[in-house]
Amino acid sequence: QFDGTGSRAHEIPNMRGAVGHFLRLPEGRAFLVRVPGTANSRLTDAQVASLLNWMVYEFSRAEVPPDFRPYTPEEVTRLRHAPLDDVAARRAAIVAKLAALGYRIE
């Protein structure tokens, strides 16, 4: 949804209060670029980088790690052209790894 709450009907998770935790892992950071809604968008790589940088602070400011480096267009270019085969499984693996580190994500 436009406010980051996701959509249960379309199996899109709520990102509010959660998306910042993904930035704690390299694979979580990459995941945010590689999900279909991002990777397949018509936005330019620079626009995707700007949107992701806005999104992490807008939806999950308290969870953004202190060493967060903003996404760059070059990083988006490198990551978005390697689409995910099984989004749900990749997300579940990242969430499990974060849980093992003490971060709870629904």
Side-chain angles (χ1 to χ4, degrees):
Q1 302 295 327
F2 70 93
D3 63 353
T5 57
S7 170
R8 287 182 192 232
H10 294 100
E11 298 181 18
I12 299 170
N14 183 356
M15 297 307 282
R16 295 191 78 74
V19 70
H21 288 309
F22 280 71
L23 302 170
R24 298 179 186 284
L25 301 172
E27 60 268 40
R29 182 180 176 96
F31 177 83
L32 297 178
V33 177
R34 295 178 63 204
V35 293
T38 304
N40 298 330
S41 76
R42 293 183 185 215
L43 298 175
T44 67
D45 294 338
Q47 289 170 324
V48 168
S50 291
L51 179 63
L52 288 170
N53 292 328
W54 170 83
M55 182 183 74
V56 297
Y57 284 111
E58 181 67 22
F59 299 150
S60 196
R61 180 176 297 274
E63 293 77 26
V64 174
D67 63 347
F68 170 65
R69 294 173 332 326
Y71 285 95
T72 64
E74 296 78 19
E75 179 181 20
V76 171
T77 299
R78 181 174 46 81
L79 293 171
R80 85 187 289 192
H81 300 292
L84 296 173
D85 292 331
D86 189 340
V87 176
R90 182 64 58 100
R91 184 182 188 284
I94 293 167
V95 168
K97 196 169 184 180
L98 286 167
L101 294 172
Y103 302 105
R104 185 168 186 258
I105 298 174
E106 308 232 0

